[in-house]
């Protein structure tokens, strides 16, 4: 595994590099967004850890540029901001996950493992439910008419679980366990944020498929035509 760390706080960057090396994870570190984009464009990394506030080119701009170039490398945003709007902006720009500073070493490593594990698991197969098809090869959600919309890695992971277990209620605990891992500090809010984005994509595709909320329990995938 090799990751790219784009973090302008040199002390934090050096500390993170040592943590990754100690855990036998290959890492390249750069201190500004301009270099971060150049390195990420090489296609040499299994994941990118990207700070939002960067000199030269901010993290959101780097992320948008990568996605415009059809570069689907998993991106974990690192940010000192804890506002929901900042998280939403990052996810809208194509981030796969986010982590708010300060964070624990175990939390960081768990998020990185989750990102890279899913990247390696995706095969050239698809799952269909109702009028939607989940493409594992392209990480896309497609309609029967051929309309398609890109998914972030976490959106894809959640939908994969729902598509594989239609009509079954999946609890928030189960989603966190399967996607973020048992050693993660992810909270219910993480699940809710991604489900909100998925529902908006369903609406954009005019799909009959819906994610139904079982209040106080979890979520299930349903087809409104049935």
């Amino acid at each position: 595994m090799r990751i790219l760390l784009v973090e302008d706080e040199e002390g934090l960057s050096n500390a993170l590099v040592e943590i990754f090396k100690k855990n036998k994870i290959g890492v390249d570190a750069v201190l500004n967004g301009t270099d971060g984009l150049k390195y990420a464009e090489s296609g040499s990394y299994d994941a990118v850890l990207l700070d939002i506030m960067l000199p030269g080119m901010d993290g959101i701009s780097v992320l948008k540029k990568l996605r415009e170039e059809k570069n689907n490398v998993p991106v974990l945003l690192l940010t000192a901001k804890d506002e929901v709007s900042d998280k939403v902006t990052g996810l809208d720009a194509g981030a796969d996950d986010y982590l708010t500073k300060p964070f624990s070493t175990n939390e960081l490593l768990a998020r990185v493992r989750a990102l890279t594990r899913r990247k390696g698991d995706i095969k050239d197969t698809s799952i269909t439910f109702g009028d939607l098809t989940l493409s594992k090869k392209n990480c896309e959600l497609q309609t029967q008419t051929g309309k398609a919309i890109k998914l972030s890695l976490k959106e894809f992971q959640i939908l994969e679980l729902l598509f594989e277990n239609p009509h079954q209620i999946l609890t928030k605990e189960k989603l966190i366990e399967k996607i973020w891992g048992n050693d993660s500090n992810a909270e219910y809010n993480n699940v809710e944020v991604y489900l909100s984005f998925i529902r908006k994509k369903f609406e954009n595709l005019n799909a009959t498929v819906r994610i139904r909320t079982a209040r106080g329990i979890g979520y299930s995938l349903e087809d409104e035509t049935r």
Side-chain angles (χ1 to χ4, degrees):
M1 182 197 306
R2 189 159 198 85
I3 64 173
L4 173 65
L5 172 64
V6 190
E7 167 61 61
D8 67 317
E9 295 180 35
E10 192 165 358
L12 176 59
S13 177
N14 291 338
L16 292 177
V17 166
E18 290 304 311
I19 288 170
F20 288 128
K21 288 182 176 179
K22 183 178 179 180
N23 286 272
K24 296 182 170 52
I25 297 174
V27 56
D28 290 329
V30 295
L31 302 174
N32 63 75
T34 304
D35 287 342
L37 177 61
K38 180 175 66 175
Y39 274 66
E41 288 175 330
S42 70
S44 304
Y45 301 100
D46 297 297
V48 176
L49 275 61
L50 181 63
D51 191 27
I52 288 183
M53 303 300 291
L54 292 168
M57 188 177 190
D58 67 84
I60 298 297
S61 296
V62 171
L63 178 57
K64 287 181 177 178
K65 183 65 174 175
L66 288 173
R67 297 315 188 219
E68 287 171 3
E69 296 172 350
K70 308 301 181 185
N71 187 326
N72 293 320
V73 61
V75 173
L76 174 66
L77 286 181
L78 304 178
T79 175
K81 299 180 179 180
D82 197 23
E83 295 294 328
V84 172
S85 60
D86 297 310
K87 298 172 182 178
V88 169
T89 298
L91 294 171
D92 262 341
D96 297 287
D97 203 358
Y98 57 82
L99 193 56
T100 304
K101 302 175 187 175
F103 46 78
S104 71
T105 297
N106 288 339
E107 173 77 350
L108 175 65
L109 293 173
R111 297 292 183 96
V112 170
R113 286 195 297 270
L115 285 180
T116 55
R117 180 171 59 244
R118 175 51 53 194
K119 180 175 183 285
D121 285 348
I122 295 175
K123 304 286 194 304
D124 183 11
T125 57
S126 60
I127 312 173
T128 297
F129 177 76
D131 60 347
L132 292 178
T133 296
L134 182 66
S135 170
K136 295 187 178 185
K137 177 182 179 182
N138 299 319
C139 210
E140 288 181 344
L141 198 59
Q142 303 168 348
T143 67
Q144 294 174 346
T145 60
K147 188 176 180 180
I149 193 166
K150 270 291 183 186
L151 300 168
S152 73
L153 196 61
K154 282 290 183 290
E155 290 170 343
F156 175 87
Q157 289 176 296
I158 291 171
L159 278 177
E160 184 178 32
L161 284 173
L162 290 169
F163 268 68
E164 289 176 345
N165 300 278
H167 310 299
Q168 297 182 37
I169 296 175
L170 299 182
T171 65
K172 292 180 180 179
E173 291 84 357
K174 175 64 71 174
L175 289 169
I176 289 174
E177 174 192 340
K178 290 290 187 180
I179 295 170
W180 280 271
N182 287 323
D183 49 356
S184 167
N185 292 324
E187 300 177 350
Y188 291 163
N189 180 61
N190 296 76
V191 176
E192 292 165 359
V193 167
Y194 286 105
L195 283 170
S196 174
F197 277 96
I198 291 171
R199 283 170 167 147
K200 287 179 182 176
K201 290 183 176 180
F202 280 8
E203 291 176 8
N204 290 338
L205 293 172
N206 296 317
T208 61
V209 174
R210 294 287 185 269
I211 296 175
R212 185 173 299 164
T213 300
R215 191 174 298 278
I217 304 175
Y219 307 93
S220 64
L221 193 69
E222 306 292 343
D223 186 351
E224 287 196 341
T225 63
R226 296 183 180 180

